[in-house]
Amino acid sequence: MNRNVLIVAVIVLAGVAGFFAYQAYERDQNSLQIEVGPEGVKVDPPG
């Protein structure tokens, strides 16, 4: 296999992985967060 083709394939796969990681990050930002700690329960609404 040509070295340039391998490099391009790795770059494309890294870009696709980054895209899906960003989508998962955005999905987590829009979810309800509930934290339980020593000060009680803290609820952060989505947004």
Side-chain angles (χ1 to χ4, degrees):
M1 180 183 278
N2 191 354
R3 183 176 177 179
N4 291 335
V5 173
L6 183 60
I7 291 172
V8 169
V10 168
I11 291 172
V12 168
L13 288 175
V16 170
F19 173 77
F20 283 115
Y22 180 74
Q23 292 294 324
Y25 171 77
E26 285 294 320
R27 196 174 321 116
D28 287 343
Q29 290 295 321
N30 293 328
S31 65
L32 180 66
Q33 294 180 353
I34 301 172
E35 299 177 7
V36 180
E39 299 175 2
V41 177
K42 178 182 175 186
V43 179
D44 291 330

